[in-house]
Amino acid sequence: MRIIGFGAHPDDVEIFFFGLLATYQAAGHDIGWVIATDGAAGGEGEKEALRRTRRAEALAGAAILGVTPVFLDAPDGALAEDRAVAGRIAALIEEMAPDLVVTHAPNDYHPDHRALSRLVSDAARFRMPVLFADTLLGVEAAPTIYVDISAHFAAKCAAIAAHASQRPQRFVEAVTGWNRFRALQCGYDGGAYAEAFSFSPRFPFSDIRGLLPPAPPLRPLGRPLSR
C-alpha cells in the first residue's frame, strides 16, 4: 500500500503520526508526507531565513525514514486564506494515488490544522479513506484506533529533535507522556508508546480495518502479558 501523511507545519508529521508511518514502512508499505505551510511564523527573526531553516529541519527529520517531503509553502498561520492550496492538494492526491491518507483532526487546536483537515478530506472525496490524528495532547479527542509505536518511539524523538529552531525538547517531553498515556489506555505498562487516531465511516469506506496496522494485543486487567 501507499500511505501519505499531510502535516500543516514542518514538524507536525513527526509530532502527530511519525510512529504510524514508521510502522507502515516497517511492514513493507510505501510512505510519504506533505508539509502544507512554510513554517515562517513559528519563531523569531527574519521570515525568509526561518523558512529556509525549517525546510532544512524538515528534510533532516524525514530523512530518518528515508523520505523526502513535498513542500506546498503556503503561508504559515493563514492556510485557510490560500485559495490555491486546495487545488494543489487535490492534484497531489490524484498524482500520488495513496490507499490511505492521514492528517490532523478536524477539531485540533491550530487553525492551520483544522483547515488542512478539511482540505485533505475534501480532496480525498470518495477515492480513499482519511485517518485523523490525535489532537494535540489528546484534548477533546475521542480516538477509536490505537497503534503501538514502541519500536519506533526513539526514531520519532530523534525526528522531532531535528527541528532545532522549535525548542524540540518540549515536544519530546510532551509526546513521551502523551504516547505513553495512549499505550496505558490499551493496558500496556509504562514502557510502551502508542499513537491514537479516529476514523469517521463515510461511503464507500465504512470499514477500513484491512488498511490499518494490527491492533495492540488485548491486555485484560489483572493478566499482564509480555509485549
Side-chain angles (χ1 to χ4, degrees):
M1 296 191 300
R2 173 173 291 173
I3 296 87
I4 303 297
F6 283 80
H9 304 103
D11 56 351
D12 280 338
V13 168
E14 288 90 327
I15 293 169
F16 287 88
F17 45 87
F18 182 96
L20 173 74
L21 294 178
T23 299
Y24 275 120
Q25 186 183 66
H29 302 296
D30 182 29
I31 66 165
W33 64 79
V34 179
I35 299 170
T37 73
D38 59 12
E44 303 294 332
E46 198 271 321
K47 298 297 185 185
E48 179 58 27
L50 183 57
R51 185 190 69 79
R52 291 194 300 268
T53 294
R54 299 209 65 188
R55 178 181 285 249
E57 291 170 350
L59 288 168
I64 290 174
L65 292 183
V67 171
T68 300
V70 175
F71 296 92
L72 297 182
D73 287 325
D76 188 358
L79 184 58
E81 301 167 23
D82 189 326
R83 296 187 177 183
V85 75
R88 297 174 66 196
I89 289 172
L92 265 176
I93 286 178
E94 184 172 358
E95 175 189 342
M96 300 172 106
D99 298 283
L100 177 71
V101 294
V102 189
T103 192
H104 298 287
N107 64 328
D108 207 3
Y109 82 107
H110 197 295
D112 284 345
H113 294 198
R114 298 192 297 271
L116 184 61
S117 183
R118 177 181 56 79
L119 290 166
V120 170
S121 294
D122 289 351
R125 300 175 65 196
F126 39 76
R127 291 179 288 186
M128 72 284 298
V130 179
L131 192 63
F132 297 112
D134 215 347
T135 59
L136 185 64
L137 297 178
V139 176
E140 286 296 313
T144 55
I145 296 163
Y146 292 76
V147 177
D148 183 353
I149 64 162
S150 303
H152 309 290
F153 188 72
K156 172 172 178 160
C157 291
I160 292 171
H163 296 264
S165 70
Q166 302 302 295
R167 294 184 291 122
Q169 187 56 34
R170 59 184 172 141
F171 292 116
V172 170
E173 292 173 1
V175 300
T176 298
W178 177 17
N179 294 156
R180 184 171 288 171
F181 170 68
R182 289 307 192 197
L184 287 169
Q185 288 184 303
C186 297
Y188 281 69
D189 61 29
Y193 300 90
E195 290 175 345
F197 301 87
S198 62
F199 171 72
S200 298
R202 183 175 61 186
F203 181 84
F205 306 111
S206 296
D207 188 339
I208 63 167
R209 283 176 291 180
L211 299 177
L212 299 174
L218 295 177
R219 297 181 181 258
L221 189 64
R223 287 191 290 158
L225 302 174
S226 58
R227 281 189 286 115

